[in-house]
Amino acid sequence: MAARLSDDERAWFKSLADYLIPAAGKMPAASAVGVHEGLLDRTLEARPDLVEDLKRGIASTAGKPVGPTLNALMKEDEAAFQAISLAASGGYYMAPDVRERLGYPGQGEAAYDPHETPEYLTNGMIERVARRGPLYRPTPKRS
């Protein structure tokens, strides 16, 4: 279930997110991919623990100059600043347009055969370590 943020909260979060993630080179600004809309809902659905801190951060910064206010928030209420930052960046990197521009298709299945010998055992990668033998320090005995 998505957190309920008002239109005003979303509009202010949009401003904060654009300050944290501005357009640069081929990469769009946070608001251009909708981090304050559906992506924010998806982020908060995945991380409901951020909602309280996010709302507090939005409320305490609303209507103030974005840059100085975020800098002050980072010092005065780190949890709120982290929630705003994580919600902005989390939503941003979920955006299909951003992932496409980065060349990241997202997570996918990796084929795995538990009966196949791993390559690192046959290509010599760990040969030196195997020749060296085990190295360890004994656990200190309690008195």
Side-chain angles (χ1 to χ4, degrees), residues 119-134:
E119 181 184 358
Y120 64 84
L121 291 175
T122 60
N123 69 3
M125 283 177 63
I126 63 169
E127 187 175 319
R128 189 178 88 176
V129 175
R131 276 195 318 254
R132 179 197 69 211

Side-chain angles (χ1 to χ4, degrees), residues 2-143:
R4 298 193 190 277
L5 271 73
S6 70
D7 290 343
D8 289 342
E9 288 173 318
R10 287 177 187 274
W12 185 246
F13 176 73
K14 174 183 173 181
S15 299
L16 298 172
D18 275 348
Y19 183 84
L20 294 169
I21 308 172
K26 68 177 185 169
M27 301 306 292
S31 65
V33 297
V35 297
H36 58 293
E37 297 168 333
L39 292 171
L40 179 58
D41 295 333
R42 285 181 57 201
T43 301
L44 296 178
E45 189 174 305
R47 291 291 309 271
D49 59 305
L50 297 177
V51 174
E52 183 181 321
D53 293 333
L54 176 69
K55 285 181 156 257
R56 187 176 66 253
I58 290 171
S60 69
T61 61
K64 299 176 184 172
V66 176
T69 303
L70 278 176
N71 286 332
L73 185 66
M74 183 174 57
K75 295 173 186 166
E76 297 164 10
D77 189 347
E78 186 177 356
F81 177 79
Q82 292 295 334
I84 290 169
S85 300
L86 186 57
S89 61
Y92 188 75
Y93 289 113
M94 280 195 285
D97 183 37
V98 170
R99 289 199 334 245
E100 183 180 321
R101 290 174 193 230
L102 291 173
Y104 175 65
Q107 295 178 347
E109 289 185 29
Y112 174 71
D113 181 357
H115 303 292
E116 183 179 315
T117 302
E119 181 184 358
Y120 64 84
L121 291 175
T122 60
N123 69 3
M125 283 177 63
I126 63 169
E127 187 175 319
R128 189 178 88 176
V129 175
R131 276 195 318 254
R132 179 197 69 211
L135 295 176
Y136 64 93
R137 292 183 182 170
T139 306
K141 300 207 186 275
R142 289 187 172 191
S143 357

